[in-house]
Amino acid sequence: MCSVPKCPTFADCQQPRLKLRRAEKHLNDVKTTIDTFINNKPYTFVVEANPEPPNYVIIARMKQPAPDDELSVTIGDFAHNARSALDLLVY
């Protein structure tokens, strides 16, 4: 005999909502970090002569380093919290 799972109540969804809220905060932090990096114009483009066709080369040079390892940790935290919210809904 199959048992029908009970419909989740508001209390059952509290933990997943908290996890999703935390994931959203991490995602906003990632967006802010990337937007700040891009808005600072961290690169320049240089056109240099090239003896072979197409007779020029466009080179992008970074003026500042890319965001540090903290960004990858924040992305990992976002993924973990989003996945945990799904797990909490299912189990």
Side-chain angles (χ1 to χ4, degrees):
M1 175 185 241
C2 290
S3 64
V4 177
K6 66 178 182 135
C7 293
T9 64
F10 178 76
D12 293 335
C13 293
Q14 194 68 355
Q15 287 299 322
R17 287 176 201 264
L18 291 172
K19 287 288 187 181
L20 280 177
R21 198 173 304 139
R22 188 68 179 163
E24 185 176 27
K25 182 202 177 305
H26 288 309
L27 184 59
N28 288 334
D29 290 347
V30 168
K31 288 178 181 178
T32 300
T33 300
I34 291 172
D35 287 345
T36 301
F37 178 72
I38 297 298
N39 290 335
N40 286 336
K41 304 277 190 238
Y43 47 82
T44 58
F45 292 102
V46 178
V47 179
E48 294 183 357
N50 184 13
E52 299 176 19
N55 299 335
Y56 60 89
V57 176
I58 299 174
I59 299 171
R61 293 204 173 115
M62 299 300 293
K63 295 189 293 187
Q64 70 183 54
D68 61 4
D69 293 337
E70 187 72 26
L71 181 62
S72 61
V73 170
T74 305
I75 292 169
D77 287 346
F78 159 75
H80 174 76
N81 280 289
R83 172 64 191 267
S84 293
L86 291 173
D87 287 345
L88 288 168
L89 278 174
V90 172
Y91 297 107

